[in-house]
Amino acid sequence: MKASTSTVSTENEAAEELRRLGEILSRKILPWAPLDGLQPTPIEGLELIRSDTPTTCVSSVYEPSLCLIAQGGKTVWLGDKEIVYGPLSCLVSSVHLPVLGQVTQASPDKPYLGVKLSVDPQEVTDLIIELGDDLSEPEEECPDISCGLCRTQAEKGMVEAVTRLVSLLDSPADARILAPLARREIIYRALIGETGPRMRRFASADSQAHRISKVIAVLKDRFTEPLRIRELAEQANMSESSLFHSFKQVTRMSPLQFQKKLRLHEARRLMLSEGLEAATASFRVGYESPSHFSREYSRLFGAPPRADVIKLRGETPQAVRL
């Protein structure tokens, strides 16, 4: 009985320590995130997220990155997969992924706050090689290990490392030297934690997940071109059926659905940032029919192109990237 009581006490103390660290991180974020949305910082690859109210469901494309929530809550949908995360949840995206996201817990006195760190896959690979045998093997029995997006609860070391990186925003001279060290520690913490097996799977050159990451890179660079599954399969050294199956495991959607979402997001960007008309943007991203483009755009974003762009231009620009 005493042992059980001691264990509960230790767990409560650990939870309280994490809660305290979350509050410290939130205080560090607030001065550098005065507006709603995703906001850049002077530190390369580091962005801060804020929302003072719950949001509607927003479509966006996640890049390879790590996101730590300091306070508030959010739900993300990747295809048919729903991921719910709250304070001190850590979300790792191993590849570019079109998702839907909605802030569910936020208020003016306690806004949704998060830290996003872009991750270069080569950084992950280099650190894996350096760590060598110190890393355990991926758990093959985990049925979801090949999914490109995963969530875990952050451990103390990860929260402290992220807090150190955000704190460097107050010390530009120190940041020039110390920010690369802090980001390296964050990636290290992710690799040795629960997200590690998935990250290592995508970095392993002989894995299906790594082959699919290469296919995703090709689609991202050439999404305006007609989709040719046979060519993609040959480049990935996979059969067409294996490519389709593995692609769905990683992205929760088919290659055609993935390409379509990349096209629509790019068209939206072109209309917003370059002022293109819907028809011009549709041709630019690979559509042959403006009416077909308009129908698919409305299904994804909830409004026709022109109405959607007018609405977005009346909002804070960063809100588009939540």
Side-chain angles (χ1 to χ4, degrees):
M1 181 64 71
K2 287 184 178 180
S4 177
T5 302
S6 176
T7 300
V8 172
S9 177
T10 301
E11 291 176 350
N12 288 340
E13 289 175 3
E16 177 60 25
E17 174 68 3
L18 274 175
R19 187 193 64 78
R20 186 185 66 82
L21 290 173
E23 290 180 349
I24 293 173
L25 178 57
S26 296
R27 290 197 295 270
K28 294 289 185 181
I29 293 172
L30 277 169
W32 292 93
L35 304 173
D36 270 16
L38 185 63
Q39 297 163 60
T41 74
I43 295 178
E44 184 179 359
L46 176 67
E47 296 174 290
L48 303 177
I49 312 163
R50 174 174 181 160
S51 182
D52 289 340
T53 59
T55 67
T56 56
C57 202
V58 177
S59 181
S60 61
V61 178
Y62 281 4
E63 63 182 352
S65 58
L66 181 149
C67 184
L68 178 66
I69 306 308
Q71 67 181 28
K74 187 175 183 179
T75 300
V76 171
W77 291 270
L78 174 64
D80 61 357
K81 180 178 181 179
E82 180 182 86
I83 303 173
V84 179
Y85 57 111
L88 302 185
S89 290
C90 187
L91 192 72
V92 175
S93 176
S94 298
V95 290
H96 285 82
L97 293 169
V99 301
L100 294 173
Q102 180 176 19
V103 174
T104 55
Q105 298 175 33
S107 64
D109 60 327
K110 196 169 185 179
Y112 169 85
L113 297 172
V115 178
K116 174 179 171 282
L117 182 66
S118 298
V119 176
D120 182 348
Q122 189 59 49
E123 289 180 280
V124 178
T125 301
D126 291 345
L127 193 50
I128 289 172
I129 293 172
E130 185 173 337
L131 289 170
D133 294 338
D134 291 339
L135 292 174
S136 59
E137 290 299 313
E139 299 175 8
E140 296 289 345
E141 65 273 13
C142 176
D144 207 26
I145 196 169
S146 292
C147 184
L149 194 64
C150 65
R151 169 211 173 275
T152 63
Q153 200 65 17
E155 298 177 344
K156 177 182 177 183
M158 173 65 82
V159 181
E160 290 176 332
V162 172
T163 302
R164 279 193 289 274
L165 181 61
V166 175
S167 297
L168 289 171
L169 291 170
D170 298 319
S171 306
D174 293 335
R176 187 172 64 87
I177 302 299
L178 298 180
L181 302 179
R183 105 180 250 115
R184 180 177 170 84
E185 181 185 356
I186 291 168
I187 296 172
Y188 165 76
R189 296 286 177 189
L191 280 171
I192 64 172
E194 289 184 39
T195 58
R198 285 180 175 84
M199 295 175 69
R200 298 197 292 277
R201 174 67 63 86
F202 280 90
S204 176
D206 61 350
S207 71
Q208 294 286 67
H210 181 76
R211 293 189 183 98
I212 295 303
S213 72
K214 295 298 185 184
V215 171
I216 287 173
V218 171
L219 286 175
K220 181 177 177 293
D221 291 338
R222 297 165 53 186
F223 62 85
T224 62
E225 302 175 12
L227 184 66
R228 297 183 175 90
I229 294 294
R230 179 178 296 178
E231 289 183 12
L232 290 173
E234 289 175 354
Q235 290 176 12
N237 196 26
M238 302 169 69
S239 68
E240 292 182 43
S241 60
S242 178
L243 169 63
F244 190 88
H245 176 73
S246 297
F247 194 94
K248 248 195 155 170
Q249 280 190 318
V250 172
T251 68
R252 289 301 194 276
M253 63 192 79
S254 69
L256 182 60
Q257 290 171 323
F258 186 92
Q259 181 198 52
K260 182 190 302 181
K261 290 185 178 181
L262 290 183
R263 284 180 169 185
L264 293 171
H265 276 282
E266 176 61 10
R268 195 187 208 195
R269 187 195 69 80
L270 290 171
M271 289 185 290
L272 278 169
S273 63
E274 299 185 21
L276 297 188
E277 294 294 328
T280 304
S282 70
F283 289 130
R284 182 82 67 86
V285 300
Y287 278 88
E288 296 181 358
S289 166
S291 60
H292 182 207
F293 164 75
S294 183
R295 287 194 300 272
E296 294 198 335
Y297 190 102
S298 298
R299 277 197 290 268
L300 180 61
F301 297 118
R306 180 174 173 80
D308 180 56
V309 171
I310 290 174
K311 177 184 176 184
L312 290 172
R313 283 177 177 160
E315 299 174 352
T316 303
Q318 292 91 336
V320 178
R321 302 176 60 200
L322 263 176

